[in-house]
Amino acid sequence: MTTLTFDSLNPATGQVVGSHPKQSADAVREAVDRAEAAAAWWAGLGHAERKRRLLDYKAVITRHLRELAGLVHEETGKPVADATLEIVLAITHLDWAARNAPKVLGRRRVSAGMMGVNLAATLEYLPLGVVGVIGPWNYPIFTPMGSIAYALAAGNAVVFKPSELTPGIGVRMAELFAASVPEHPVFQTVTGLGETGAFLARDPRVKKIAFTGSTATAKRVMAACAENLTPIVAECGGKDAFIVDADADLKAAADACLWGAMSNAGQTCTGVERVYVVDAVYEPFMRELSERAASIKAGEHYGPITMPGQLDIIRRHIDDATKSGKAITGGPGSVRAPFVDPVIVADVPEDSPAVREETFGPTITVRRTRDAQEALELANASAYGLAGTIFSRNARRAMELARAMRTGMTAINSVISFAGVPALPFGGVGDSGFGRIHGADGLREFARPKAISRQRFALPGMNLTSFSRGADELERLIRLVTFLHGRRKR
């Protein structure tokens, strides 16, 4: 039987990078078959042995860093330097997950409380089994590794379905894992289009799906998962805001804003898309921002738009924004497929598509606000809630704004810096999804809590869970509870 294939293309040149199979439902089912057996073996190794093997995998990836960066460059079009940074971040997360899984997930005693004085209580987090990961194309190593590394460290086997735009990277990552763990296929990659991901999500033996992509696609994946009540962690993009307070370092703010908005051609889920600047510093900030933007060029400082269909959305948003707002840098002519030069538009109405919808291109809207409080209110008036940025020299004020920002993550006087801290959880609220990867929360996301209580001795005169319980025992219970909990605390 002939296997259908599809090509991955270099979006900058249109050249074929590789050809890969469109794996069928049977092929995905067979991969999950193998993963089930591998999961039992991998879980049985225990934390120490998994840690050793994952650190070996980390070393293999590191030794192949240049090769992988070249492949990311070919399949996404992003500069090799940016691809290298992405892989380095993935390496640090793999290292953290491997080293911290025993402490976060391992068995530990917990207090049984006064009512359980005769009990010993333990808590641990056990592997789920097979985890399915459906990855994106914009950061084809860093983003899925935030699920893959943590799922593996938690003791699960992984079946990874990479984006059809970047399948070669996913295949290579699994090949390198096999070099570190040759005994069983603990980490496999299946390739194909959207239907291949649906086959994975619908398999009842997959115990959790980790998805990264658009909100609309997440809803379809959730519908597939619902058939078997398969839980899902979903990261669905954002419309992240950048607030410049009156006392901000304007040079640093403009530099960070520009990089957060334009790097990777704006194709970053936590990238800057909306900028709110306090009136007192609006003019000097805009001068600094526009001067810096004038020297940034698509095809030189960042790559092309990887997904061709996104160009229509970017063009629509630019057209609408420039009709109602003031173009500071670029405009409709900035779209020269497959590249888009930087676009900065001021005074765009808050109900416009360029402000409400995810653009996923090198564009930003900028708005003047009375103060930081108004900026915060505008920043929070979004269906999305992934990440954001605060620039202020007042540490206390910045922390207050960051805590009040309706996002899963906020950076202060830096941009997207939380992604480089492995101990911090990554994820959003609202249309940006739910669940967390990275950090201790990310490890626990791919494990199931197991609670055990063991009676060490019988409490004399307090056999409460028996049909032989008497009135005296119940009275003693009431007195004890009244003593422990009946007094008002002041």
Side-chain angles (χ1 to χ4, degrees), residues 73-305:
H73 165 68
E74 288 183 345
E75 286 198 323
T76 68
K78 71 173 65 177
V80 171
D82 287 353
T84 301
L85 176 60
E86 170 185 348
I87 299 166
V88 168
L89 287 174
I91 289 169
T92 63
H93 277 274
L94 177 55
D95 179 80
W96 192 94
R99 295 184 187 278
N100 286 275
K103 177 176 64 178
V104 173
L105 305 177
R107 185 185 304 127
R108 64 181 184 271
R109 291 181 179 179
V110 298
S111 173
M114 287 294 291
M115 293 297 296
V117 68
N118 65 325
L119 301 176
T122 62
L123 172 65
E124 62 184 311
Y125 293 82
L126 302 178
L128 299 173
V130 179
V131 170
V133 178
I134 301 175
W137 48 264
N138 58 331
Y139 291 92
I141 291 181
F142 170 68
T143 299
M145 189 56 70
S147 297
I148 293 168
Y150 290 80
L152 291 171
N156 305 286
V158 171
V159 179
F160 174 39
K161 192 278 176 186
S163 166
E164 57 268 29
L165 300 178
T166 55
I169 297 162
V171 169
R172 189 62 179 138
M173 292 299 289
E175 289 174 348
L176 293 177
F177 184 85
S180 306
V181 185
E183 296 94 333
H184 293 274
V186 177
F187 171 24
Q188 303 172 75
T189 294
V190 293
T191 59
L193 308 183
E195 62 181 10
T196 302
F199 297 146
L200 183 62
R202 288 194 175 98
D203 194 306
R205 297 165 300 168
V206 174
K207 301 307 179 185
K208 190 156 201 175
I209 288 290
F211 168 82
T212 304
S214 71
T215 303
T217 303
K219 292 177 180 179
R220 293 195 292 271
V221 174
M222 286 180 67
C225 289
E227 295 177 13
N228 299 298
L229 289 181
T230 303
I232 177 174
V233 51
E235 192 266 276
C236 309
K239 192 70 180 176
D240 294 355
F242 187 108
I243 294 176
V244 183
D245 206 352
D247 62 352
D249 180 334
L250 299 185
K251 291 183 181 295
D255 182 65
C257 179
L258 193 63
W259 191 87
M262 308 300 169
S263 62
N264 203 36
Q267 300 168 124
T268 302
C269 55
T270 55
V272 177
E273 294 207 17
R274 298 177 293 146
V275 183
Y276 298 103
V277 187
V278 171
D279 178 70
V281 293
Y282 181 83
E283 297 298 341
F285 174 80
M286 292 302 290
R287 284 195 298 270
E288 189 72 35
L289 183 65
S290 59
E291 287 172 5
R292 290 174 181 270
S295 62
I296 304 301
K297 304 295 180 186
E300 180 181 348
H301 296 94
Y302 56 81
I305 301 304

